[in-house]
Amino acid sequence: MSSAMAHHPDTQPPGRPVPAARPMPAAADLFGDLLEVDARPAGGGAGRLRPALFALLPGLGVTALAGAAAAWLADHYAAPLMLMGLLIGLAFNFLNADQRLHEGLGFASKTLLRWGIVLVGFQVTLWEIADLGWPSFVAIALIILLVMAAGTLVARALGLGLAFGLLAGGSVAICGASAALALATALGEKRVNQAQLTLVLVTVSAASALAMSLYPILATSLGLGREAAGFLIGASIHDVAQALGAGYSLGEVEGQTAAIVKLTRVALLAPTLLLVTLAVPREPGGAGGGAPVPWFIAAFLGLTALNSAITLPAEVALIAKRATTILLLLAVVATGIRSPMHLLLQQGWRASMPVVAATAVSFLLALAAAEMLF
């Protein structure tokens, strides 16, 4: 008999406490793929944790190297960081054939993403949202709902399905690539596959980069006031960094207004995810039970409430912002590496139309709201 069998819990002498074999608690979801690896049969006791950690290292190492390359390119060529991360990830897509990388890639694209969303709570306060006033807040909420509806309607008209429409419309309505990753997690891989997610990431990142250059010119050409221009940019540009960059390119007032409006959209990510989770039936074949609200949504809301209730040091928000950027970049890179290229190439131009339509609707609604409110 091997030593592992000799110390099996079933053979423990009387009097020694024996851990009861039971399903993993719901809180285990906090560590996502790490605990999924650890839950597999791999020997006895806590010794399983170390192999699980080592199994993540190859995939995480490749993701980190690709992310560093994307950050260098974005910094030296003034390119959108998330778009560079996605393109670098797609360039390394051939590595997905190596089974040793799968655990780490899955951990980066799921668990690191969820923690990135949680940390956004340090960057939003309820008071910033309240400063907008109820009319502006209601307008932003309506824009989000109508943009998601537009993406969904176009997707269904093209035969692409409800889930894909929610993914495309939600990514445009809220915060671009970050929202796309979060919505894909809420919808599940059986509804939105990696190829569809990658296509949305590419399209929404490109649309956001174009909007960053074009919308300030349009705001000036249309003769909008300073606050109206800031509202237009904050309510319509997808990516946070690009919305702020476009706003501050027009001036301080425009930049501050764009920042508050954009962060309000980010704050509405959590209730949007909650609504999607409750409205869309449980994923076919998914496990039953579990919390009705995903843990990372509850944590996001909790940190937002904490950040609103007490004044945290400015360094906390700065560190959280940098950590969020890093985690989301790693998630985007890993998603690109994991994407099945043959399915991505089969999507065709039709699959980009929901993002294009949602982008157009987003701009028109934001423009109408800006002219009405300011």
Side-chain angles (χ1 to χ4, degrees), residues 7 29 39 41 81 96 107 110 116 121 153 162 177 240 253 313 330 345 348:
H7 293 86
D29 292 339
L81 177 60
N96 193 41
F107 183 82
K110 296 178 183 177
L153 289 173
L162 171 65
V240 175
V253 173
L330 293 175
L345 295 174

Side-chain angles (χ1 to χ4, degrees), residues 47-364:
R48 292 179 297 176
L49 180 59
R50 185 175 298 175
L53 289 172
F54 278 111
L56 299 176
L57 293 180
L60 287 178
V62 168
T63 302
L65 287 174
W72 187 91
L73 288 172
D75 183 57
H76 284 73
Y77 295 97
L81 177 60
M82 295 303 167
L83 180 58
M84 288 298 98
L86 183 60
L87 294 178
I88 291 291
L90 290 173
F92 282 91
N93 181 263
F94 65 93
L95 294 175
N96 193 41
D98 191 336
Q99 295 286 336
R100 294 171 297 179
L101 304 181
H102 285 186
E103 302 293 355
L105 292 174
F107 183 82
S109 64
K110 296 178 183 177
T111 304
L112 295 187
L113 162 68
R114 293 167 182 170
W115 281 108
I117 294 170
V118 169
L119 292 179
V120 174
F122 280 121
Q123 305 168 50
V124 182
T125 68
L126 299 176
W127 311 124
E128 290 174 334
I129 299 173
D131 286 342
L132 283 174
W134 282 108
S136 296
F137 179 80
V138 170
I140 293 169
L142 286 174
I143 289 172
I144 289 175
L145 289 175
L146 293 174
V147 170
M148 291 188 70
T152 302
L153 289 173
V154 172
R156 298 196 71 170
L158 295 173
L160 299 172
L162 171 65
F164 185 80
L166 290 172
L167 176 68
S171 64
V172 172
I174 303 174
C175 51
S178 305
L181 290 165
L183 285 165
T185 300
L187 291 167
E189 291 189 2
K190 292 185 179 180
R191 289 196 179 89
V192 179
N193 60 44
Q194 287 290 316
Q196 292 174 321
L197 172 58
T198 302
L199 182 69
V200 169
L201 288 172
V202 171
T203 310
V204 79
S205 297
S208 186
L210 178 63
M212 180 181 66
S213 303
L214 183 60
Y215 287 7
I217 299 173
L218 291 175
T220 302
S221 301
L222 293 169
L224 296 178
R226 304 186 74 181
E227 290 184 338
F231 184 93
L232 169 65
I233 289 172
S236 57
I237 294 182
H238 319 337
D239 183 77
V240 175
Q242 291 165 352
L244 269 58
Y248 280 104
S249 71
L250 292 175
E252 187 71 18
V253 173
E254 293 89 334
Q256 290 178 353
T257 305
I260 295 173
V261 172
K262 183 60 192 177
L263 288 178
T264 301
R265 290 168 65 193
V266 173
L268 291 174
L269 171 63
T272 301
L273 289 174
L274 177 58
L275 289 175
V276 169
T277 302
L278 296 176
V280 178
R282 185 176 298 277
E283 185 176 87
V293 181
W295 70 266
F296 60 94
I297 298 177
F300 172 90
L301 293 174
L303 287 183
T304 300
L306 175 65
N307 195 26
S308 304
I310 62 176
T311 302
L312 297 173
E315 292 78 8
V316 173
L318 180 60
I319 293 172
K321 183 176 181 180
R322 291 176 177 172
T324 298
T325 301
I326 292 171
L327 292 173
L328 294 180
L329 174 61
L330 293 175
V332 167
V333 169
T335 298
I337 296 175
R338 296 180 70 204
S339 298
M341 291 300 292
H342 65 288
L343 292 179
L344 179 61
L345 295 174
Q346 291 174 4
Q347 298 299 310
W349 65 269
R350 288 156 50 93
S352 64
M353 287 300 100
V355 171
V356 174
T359 298
V361 170
S362 176
F363 176 81
L364 294 175

